[in-house]
Amino acid sequence: MRRVLAVGAHPDDIELGCGATLLAHSAAGDAVTMLVMTGGENGPGDDEAITGRRLEQEQAARTLGAALLWGGRRDCTVTPDAATVAVVERAIKEVDADVVYVHAPDDSHQDHRAVAAATLSAARRLSRVLHYQSPSTLTFAPTTFVDVTAYLSGKLAALGAHASQVEMSAMVEPDAVVASARHWGAQARIGYAEAFAPTRMVIDLMPTPRRAAAEVPEAYRLTLSASLAATTR
């Protein structure tokens, strides 16, 4: 079982970037947690809409089968300082994450850039850190794709929970979301995909039941020195 942490600056960011992938993780039995760093206080709508944004995010997380954490930062004022890094570090420790998804670093929204930078610092010891695309991403050259053909409708349902933003933003129109997934699916030679640009992505090739660990040739087995083993923890 993987322990997945998806980090986003605002409500709906994670759903847009990797919502279908999180559904695939949930279906595979992985533990999924979302860390939303702000409450979307500067998003579209009046005070009532802004107040309801937290409830929308809670509903979206339930749709994705994910636990939800809040970062307590303020929309449009996030900086990649020690306090922000500490928020992400605490989340990584709390869920014992071994896979982290976060914004792509090159983005026109300052909060997205700051959250990406803070997460890279907080996840510096992890071997699986992948960046997702946002509507405001500037440069994005993905090399890793997840087949989300079976989960695209669930992603749309999760985005639909964010009514106060979806209804007022052309960036999250369902047609645009589907078109993006089809584009990346074509790149990956599959139906629909979400795309990621990994900072690090270690692939585990575990022995199959027919070839148990005891059957792996002795010459292929490595024993780490005590000092090297300590650096991998």
Side-chain angles (χ1 to χ4, degrees), residues 7 22 34 81-82 92 100 115 132 180 227 230:
V7 187
L22 297 187
M34 303 167 69
D81 58 10
I92 290 173
V100 170
V115 169
Y132 57 75
S180 177
S227 60

Side-chain angles (χ1 to χ4, degrees), residues 81-172:
D81 58 10
T84 304
V85 173
V87 169
V88 185
E89 284 180 328
R90 284 195 296 271
I92 290 173
K93 183 177 181 180
E94 179 177 336
V95 305
D96 193 22
D98 53 20
V99 181
V100 170
Y101 296 98
V102 70
H103 294 279
D106 190 11
D107 196 290
S108 61
H109 198 300
Q110 69 276 14
D111 284 355
H112 294 183
R113 295 195 304 271
V115 169
T119 300
L120 283 175
S121 294
R124 58 194 175 276
R125 295 186 179 89
L126 297 186
S127 58
R128 298 175 186 83
V129 181
L130 300 100
H131 300 279
Y132 57 75
Q133 185 182 34
S134 298
S136 53
T137 298
L138 297 173
T139 303
F140 189 62
T143 56
T144 301
F145 303 87
V146 175
D147 187 343
V148 299
T149 305
Y151 303 103
L152 193 56
S153 60
K155 173 175 180 165
L156 294 175
L159 283 169
H162 293 281
S164 69
Q165 299 189 92
V166 171
E167 293 175 358
M168 301 182 184
S169 176
M171 291 184 174
V172 292

Side-chain angles (χ1 to χ4, degrees), residues 31-57:
V32 177
T33 303
M34 303 167 69
L35 172 61
V36 180
M37 296 297 288
T38 78
E41 295 85 0
N42 285 304
D46 55 19
D47 290 343
E48 183 178 352
I50 293 169
T51 300
R53 205 150 280 155
R54 292 179 72 92
L55 295 176
E56 292 176 351
Q57 183 61 75

